[in-house]
Amino acid sequence: MEPKTIAFVGAGLSCAVLARELAERGGFRCVLFDRRPHLGGNCHTARDAETGVMVHTYGPHIFHTSNRAVWDYVNRFTEFGPFVNRVRAVTPRGIFSLPVNLMTLNQFFGKNMTPRQAEAFVRELGAPFRTGRERNFEEVALSLVGEELYRNFFHGYTKKQWGCEPSELPGAIIKRLPLRFTYRDDYYQDVYQGIPVHGYTPMIEGIASHPAIELRLGEGFARERAGEFDHVFWSGPIDACYGGRHGKLSYRTVHWTEERLDGDAQGTVCLNYTAEEVPFTRKIEYKHYTPWETHERTLVATEFSKATGPEDDPYYPIRSERDMAVLRHYVGEAREEKGISFLGRLGTYRYLDMHMVVEESLAFAARLGTEPADWPRFSVPEEKLFS
Ligand code: UDP
């Protein structure tokens, strides 16, 4: 029997994993399109020609998961170097450990608290702001940590990162950042953490390297071509798939200025600048992401955040109430249409980390029967798109 020909729009992690699963199953020919000339989407990495440092071209990515199956999966395609993410915040009151943990609390307030004392102390700080009706970022953050920590660690950074008042953002964003009453200062607290020794692009090349997978890099996918394929998996922005006819979904984008210097510029991977007056959000020193390498020179990227214009790459889905209303129109449209399914960060308009993308693509593949006509429209159940 002729294999079914499946187009994948976007050659990032979500499509690469899904294509690999279908390719291994047999009976499918998978064609991966990407308008960019490389694999990996926003996870792409490349060595900087001048310094030799591995750079995450579209911003730092640290792989972390507590799901053993996901960890085993990515380890099939690359060796991971040991890396645990530790971030510091440069605040108006000095440099502190982030996420807020017992070290941060004791140093920031000049105290010597035990975990239990710190928990009670922070609960008191948040008490005046707890109404039981906290919804937006500011309300939730204030109720969790109180005014002083909020002003020094969250308000300015969030305003810069998202370009709006924190009171206009969903409370869920703050939930990405843990609040800890121990000295544990790793950002993610996942069981498995690391960075591929040779970067993410070779890992994704490994995933996409299969006789039934064909790569069309540097080639955009014109929507009119869908009819040439038995099915299309779309990991680009869902609104772009429909020509934006129900309005645009909003995203933040990031851009960087780079400096190449001798030696060590900041002594660590990432310093967040939390003050509103500082125009950038963070400084990234890439060589510290590969502690198994030594480099005489260094590359520092200063990150700025702004609204996504027509020429910019979308990064962070904003998911304002208006966006979610717009999203409902596109989801409704997708539901009515056969032959196309959406996945990944942009395809499902959600704030996904790499491990979630791998997990979702593996689970999605497991839900796909042999007949493309029966394939679901989204990689996850629809209600997850709105939660
Ligand atoms: N955040 C903050 N101060 C910080 C770091 C993060 O207020 O120093 C807030 C900010 O709103 C950010 C959110 O917490 O968008 C989630 O942070 P995370 O580090 O997960 O962001 P990402 O990894 O996506 O850049």
Side-chain angles (χ1 to χ4, degrees):
M1 216 173 59
E2 275 286 291
K4 295 197 163 65
T5 308
I6 314 295
F8 291 80
V9 184
L13 202 48
S14 62
C15 281
V17 171
L18 186 62
R20 177 74 186 212
E21 290 298 292
L22 291 180
E24 284 183 359
R25 199 184 293 174
F28 298 104
R29 194 170 72 82
C30 303
V31 188
L32 264 72
F33 293 86
D34 205 302
R35 63 184 170 79
R36 288 173 174 163
H38 57 71
L39 269 174
N42 281 359
C43 310
H44 176 61
T45 48
R47 276 199 192 278
D48 176 57
E50 192 195 316
T51 59
V53 170
M54 175 85 67
V55 174
H56 304 196
T57 312
Y58 305 97
H61 285 70
I62 300 106
F63 202 94
H64 58 96
T65 181
S66 292
N67 180 329
R68 180 64 196 256
V70 168
W71 184 241
D72 287 346
Y73 181 85
V74 288
N75 274 273
R76 267 174 65 195
F77 303 101
T78 183
E79 182 191 342
F80 273 81
F83 180 81
V84 174
N85 198 23
R86 293 197 164 80
V87 176
R88 320 289 165 198
V90 181
T91 79
R93 294 246 301 253
I95 300 188
F96 297 97
S97 172
L98 202 79
V100 173
N101 62 70
L102 194 49
M103 183 67 107
T104 323
L105 293 169
N106 277 329
Q107 292 187 333
F108 186 78
F109 291 105
K111 289 190 180 287
N112 192 358
M113 297 179 282
T114 63
R116 192 189 283 186
Q117 288 167 336
E119 194 168 353
F121 178 75
V122 173
R123 199 176 320 114
E124 276 302 295
L125 297 179
F129 303 97
R130 276 198 291 279
T131 59
R133 294 184 307 278
E134 304 89 334
R135 290 280 174 279
N136 65 53
F137 184 99
E138 180 157 294
E139 290 166 345
V140 174
L142 282 169
S143 73
L144 286 173
V145 299
E147 181 85 35
E148 226 177 330
L149 287 168
Y150 173 68
R151 291 282 154 212
N152 279 281
F153 288 86
F154 302 118
H155 180 83
Y157 189 93
T158 299
K159 217 170 153 177
K160 292 189 291 187
Q161 163 96 352
W162 296 96
C164 62
E165 286 301 323
S167 56
E168 297 169 61
L169 290 166
I173 294 176
I174 185 84
K175 299 280 167 60
R176 279 178 62 88
L177 271 188
L179 170 62
R180 301 208 191 107
F181 302 108
T182 66
Y183 286 102
R184 198 161 165 182
D185 64 350
D186 54 322
Y187 213 67
Y188 304 115
Q189 224 170 12
D190 268 320
V191 181
Y192 310 106
Q193 310 191 34
I195 289 184
V197 276
H198 302 298
Y200 290 99
T201 300
M203 175 183 97
I204 297 168
E205 274 163 10
I207 296 172
S209 164
H210 187 285
I213 299 180
E214 183 188 333
L215 298 180
R216 300 270 189 86
L217 301 177
E219 186 176 338
F221 181 84
R223 186 74 167 75
E224 307 74 59
R225 294 193 57 189
E228 296 169 31
F229 297 88
D230 291 291
H231 197 82
V232 176
F233 287 106
W234 185 280
S235 72
I238 182 169
D239 52 336
C241 182
Y242 294 105
R245 61 173 164 254
H246 302 295
K248 271 194 79 60
L249 293 170
S250 54
Y251 290 90
R252 293 296 283 175
T253 193
V254 269
H255 62 103
W256 297 271
T257 55
E258 288 178 354
E259 288 168 279
R260 289 170 182 79
L261 305 158
D262 286 329
D264 197 336
Q266 62 181 24
T268 189
V269 281
C270 178
L271 293 178
N272 283 7
Y273 286 75
T274 60
E276 196 180 335
E277 301 70 45
V278 178
F280 48 86
T281 47
R282 52 186 186 173
K283 278 183 182 265
I284 308 292
E285 187 169 9
Y286 277 106
K287 73 176 176 183
H288 294 296
Y289 286 110
T290 52
W292 53 90
E293 295 180 1
T294 35
H295 297 278
E296 306 268 299
R297 301 263 294 153
T298 195
L299 188 149
V300 178
T302 301
E303 185 172 306
F304 298 81
S305 172
K306 69 176 185 75
T308 304
E311 301 304 315
D312 297 321
D313 288 321
Y315 281 84
Y316 297 95
I318 296 181
R319 293 173 67 86
S320 67
E321 279 175 24
R322 185 206 144 269
D323 289 319
M324 300 317 279
V326 170
L327 180 64
R328 276 185 201 281
H329 286 290
Y330 290 114
V331 170
E333 185 134 358
R335 204 183 291 138
E336 298 308 317
E337 202 186 357
K338 288 242 175 274
I340 187 158
S341 304
F342 297 88
L343 73 164
R345 187 187 262 229
L346 303 177
T348 64
Y349 194 60
R350 284 173 309 145
Y351 197 158
L352 297 176
D353 293 337
M354 286 181 289
H355 64 292
M356 299 172 179
V357 165
V358 173
E359 194 171 326
E360 287 189 2
S361 282
L362 291 174
F364 190 29
R367 287 165 60 216
L368 302 178
T370 47
E371 198 36 69
D374 302 328
W375 288 352
R377 296 286 83 86
F378 292 95
S379 54
V380 288
E382 263 182 42
E383 57 280 10
K384 264 198 148 178
L385 305 178
F386 300 99
S387 61

